[in-house]
């Protein structure tokens, strides 16, 4: 699986959009981009995934660049409950095995 | 609540003792995963079951670790002769999807925090 690079931490004001970047320059054509988050003392929570098209669900939007070497997770109106560690993961779906987590981005949403 | 459940939530044990954790996945999920997470790090994969078959094991899973999923439903993770380095959060996840392409949409439980003294 391709490696990902994320900033260690970010801050965002409540009510504003949180834009979390991820670099995955070695991604291959059959690898998807997944985002999970982990709120303190809880298990990780799936957010969204995509291959090459932008995706949106009730939690977030995922913007993938045309060359697929980077992506951005957008939380359109961040709340205090969105404070968490956000993990960007690249995975090949030809097998059903492990997710490889990095250290993620710690997002702090403030008043 | 029909999410993934884990028991116990916390376990304190003395070095050298054996411990066993249980995971109940979401009903009818055929894939079940175990991960370990230490402070400040992301979860690390330990092992994976499809139904009752254990299909992949990480090199992190030493001989002291064993996992089972006897009837393809709940799973247990046992650690024998615990060491202080085993102190961590042990996470279980399950996944519902079948077919191709497979999905990495995994549903995690709350974890079991193990402290070895």
């Amino acid at each position: 699986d391709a490696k990902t690079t994320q900033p260690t931490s970010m801050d965002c004001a409540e009510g504003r959009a949180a834009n979390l970047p991820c670099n995955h320059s070695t991604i291959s054509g059959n690898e998807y981009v997944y985002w999970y988050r982990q709120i303190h003392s809880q298990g990780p929570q799936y957010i969204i995934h995509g291959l090459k098209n932008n995706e949106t669900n009730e939690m977030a939007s995922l913007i993938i660049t045309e060359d697929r070497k980077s992506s951005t997770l957008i939380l359109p109106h961040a709340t205090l409950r969105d404070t968490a560690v956000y993990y960007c993961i690249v995975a090949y779906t030809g097998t059903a095995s492990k997710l490889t987590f990095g250290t993620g981005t710690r997002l702090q949403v403030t008043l | 609540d029909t999410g993934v459940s884990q028991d116990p939530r916390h376990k304190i044990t003395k070095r050298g003792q054996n411990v066993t954790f249980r995971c109940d996945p979401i009903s009818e999920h055929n894939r079940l995963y175990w991960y370990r997470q230490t402070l400040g790090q992301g979860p690390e994969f330990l092992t994976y079951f499809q139904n009752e078959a254990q299909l992949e094991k990480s090199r992190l899973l030493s001989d002291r670790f064993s996992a089972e999923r006897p009837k393809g439903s709940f799973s247990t993770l046992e650690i024998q002769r615990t060491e202080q380095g085993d102190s961590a959060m042990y996470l279980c996840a399950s996944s519902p999807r079948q077919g191709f392409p497979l999905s990495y949409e995994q549903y995690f439980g709350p974890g079991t925090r193990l402290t070895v003294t």
Side-chain angles (χ1 to χ4, degrees):
Chain A
D1 294 335
K3 281 198 66 175
T4 62
T5 304
Q6 298 179 252
T8 304
S9 63
M10 295 181 64
D11 292 330
C12 179
E14 189 176 35
R16 305 297 292 269
N19 297 285
L20 291 91
C22 179
N23 286 325
H24 31 79
S25 58
T26 61
I27 192 170
S28 61
N30 54 11
E31 289 182 312
Y32 282 68
V33 180
Y34 281 77
W35 283 83
Y36 279 75
R37 73 180 182 183
Q38 188 171 24
I39 295 169
H40 183 61
S41 297
Q42 297 183 21
Q45 177 189 23
Y46 166 82
I47 302 173
I48 198 167
H49 74 279
L51 182 62
K52 55 184 177 180
N53 296 321
N54 297 339
E55 302 287 345
T56 296
N57 63 19
E58 65 278 5
M59 289 183 68
S61 294
L62 174 60
I63 308 298
I64 302 174
T65 59
E66 192 170 344
D67 63 8
R68 302 208 325 122
K69 293 186 177 181
S70 65
S71 61
T72 301
L73 179 75
I74 301 172
L75 308 178
H77 305 287
T79 71
L80 296 177
R81 287 175 293 183
D82 293 320
T83 293
V85 177
Y86 287 78
Y87 298 100
C88 169
I89 300 167
V90 170
Y92 167 58
T93 56
T95 61
S97 62
K98 58 187 179 291
L99 288 167
T100 303
F101 290 82
T103 52
T105 296
R106 182 171 299 278
L107 175 68
Q108 180 69 53
V109 181
T110 57
L111 289 171
Chain B
D1 183 58
T2 58
V4 177
S5 62
Q6 293 187 245
D7 183 69
R9 295 291 307 279
H10 303 274
K11 179 70 177 178
I12 300 174
T13 192
K14 292 185 177 180
R15 188 177 54 188
Q17 298 294 304
N18 299 343
V19 294
T20 300
F21 310 140
R22 176 180 170 122
C23 170
D24 286 273
I26 294 172
S27 179
E28 298 179 357
H29 280 195
N30 68 333
R31 288 183 268 153
L32 187 147
Y33 307 79
W34 285 98
Y35 293 82
R36 181 176 72 183
Q37 184 174 25
T38 54
L39 199 62
Q41 302 298 312
E44 297 173 291
F45 170 79
L46 291 179
T47 190
Y48 150 65
F49 290 85
Q50 182 160 307
N51 299 313
E52 63 275 9
Q54 188 173 18
L55 297 187
E56 186 172 349
K57 291 194 291 186
S58 162
R59 287 173 294 176
L60 292 174
L61 214 64
S62 75
D63 291 344
R64 297 185 297 103
F65 288 70
S66 62
E68 295 182 341
R69 194 182 183 197
K71 297 182 180 179
S73 56
F74 73 92
S75 175
T76 58
L77 177 68
E78 180 183 17
I79 308 174
Q80 296 182 325
R81 305 181 302 282
T82 52
E83 301 173 356
Q84 287 187 320
D86 298 330
S87 294
M89 175 76 83
Y90 290 84
L91 293 158
C92 175
S94 67
S95 184
R97 302 292 178 89
Q98 301 191 44
F100 189 87
L102 297 164
S103 171
Y104 283 80
E105 186 176 341
Q106 296 182 13
Y107 296 82
F108 283 79
T112 294
R113 181 165 296 284
L114 173 66
T115 302
V116 182
T117 62

